[in-house]
Amino acid sequence: RVQAPIDWVGMAALLWAVVPLLLALSWAGDRFGWTSVEVAALLAVSLLGAGAFALAEHRAADPVLPPTLFRERTFVVASAVSFLTGIGLFGALSYMPLFIQGALGASATNSGLVNTPMMLGLTVASLAAGNVASRTRRYRWTVIAGGAVLIGGMAIMAALDENTALLSPIAGMVVVGLGLGLSMPLLGLAVQNALASRLLGVATASTQFFRQIGGTLGIAVFGTIV
């Protein structure tokens, strides 16, 4: 079996696209304003890198991110949902402890422990979702239900203020964890069932990549709001 050449050009172009984007999202609202020249320049460089990456992938013999993946509706939807859930997951994990300590006056230890109920909810919901999917061979409505529960949890947390009892943010975190647990694991399963076996590795990794990018964007946006 002849080994396909490594897509060095594609990997370099991907770094060209992603690194300036991450820097722009990390610095916007902190070191520089969202409308500053520095952030605009980084976003422009990232956009050029994305164009170079798309061109490189169309020409590569064994691309890092095969363009054919984007012809699969399941992959596109799963990547978009992963991106959005990344915003909710990392945004909640990063800033809820800050709210607990800064607005409600809890100790640093208690503010850190508030993430525990969310992870417990995520674990329980993941187990339940996996059992449902394995028995029914269906997962679409479970993923949709997870998204609805996630929205409900974010709505609970959006209503919090300095007079809120400590149980309210804990309840919101539990609901968010349940929503994430119902949807996140099944997204990878949906992608794996929809694609050929030779694309499973890159497709799974790509959905995780989009989730991480969503998390970075969520932290940046929520940080600016804070």
Side-chain angles (χ1 to χ4, degrees):
R1 181 174 178 267
V2 179
Q3 184 176 1
I6 297 176
D7 184 16
W8 295 109
V9 176
M11 288 190 285
L14 181 61
L15 288 174
W16 177 8
V18 172
V19 173
L21 175 63
L22 294 179
L23 288 175
L25 295 178
S26 299
W27 289 345
D30 183 15
R31 294 190 181 185
F32 310 105
W34 279 93
T35 58
S36 65
V37 175
E38 291 83 359
V39 171
L42 287 170
L43 292 177
V45 172
S46 176
L47 185 60
L48 290 175
F53 177 69
L55 182 62
E57 297 308 273
H58 277 91
R59 295 183 175 182
D62 188 19
V64 175
L65 184 59
T68 54
L69 286 177
F70 294 95
R71 299 172 189 169
E72 294 288 342
R73 180 181 177 185
T74 301
F75 173 79
V76 174
V77 172
S79 297
V81 175
S82 295
F83 177 82
L84 295 174
T85 55
I87 294 176
L89 172 62
F90 289 97
L93 284 175
S94 299
Y95 291 105
M96 184 52 69
L98 179 63
F99 172 81
I100 296 295
Q101 186 175 2
L104 301 186
S107 65
T109 301
N110 289 335
S111 64
L113 290 175
V114 76
N115 285 333
T116 303
M118 174 182 175
M119 302 312 297
L120 291 176
L122 192 153
T123 302
V124 171
S126 296
L127 292 173
N131 286 327
V132 171
S134 63
R135 293 182 180 182
T136 65
R137 304 296 179 183
R138 299 178 183 273
Y139 41 77
R140 176 182 297 178
W141 290 108
T142 306
V143 174
I144 293 174
V149 173
L150 177 58
I151 292 172
M154 299 299 281
I156 292 174
M157 294 194 290
L160 303 178
D161 57 30
E162 69 278 6
N163 299 316
T164 299
L166 185 59
L167 288 178
S168 294
I170 292 176
M173 293 293 277
V174 170
V175 175
V176 168
L178 291 173
L180 291 171
L182 289 173
S183 59
M184 275 201 315
L186 296 185
L187 292 174
L189 179 63
V191 169
Q192 292 168 1
N193 287 338
L195 299 174
S197 58
R198 63 184 180 83
L199 296 174
L200 294 186
V202 64
T204 304
S206 298
T207 54
Q208 297 293 328
F209 169 76
F210 288 120
R211 180 176 299 143
Q212 297 296 325
I213 294 295
T216 304
L217 177 62
I219 292 173
V221 173
F222 292 158
T224 300
I225 295 173
V226 170

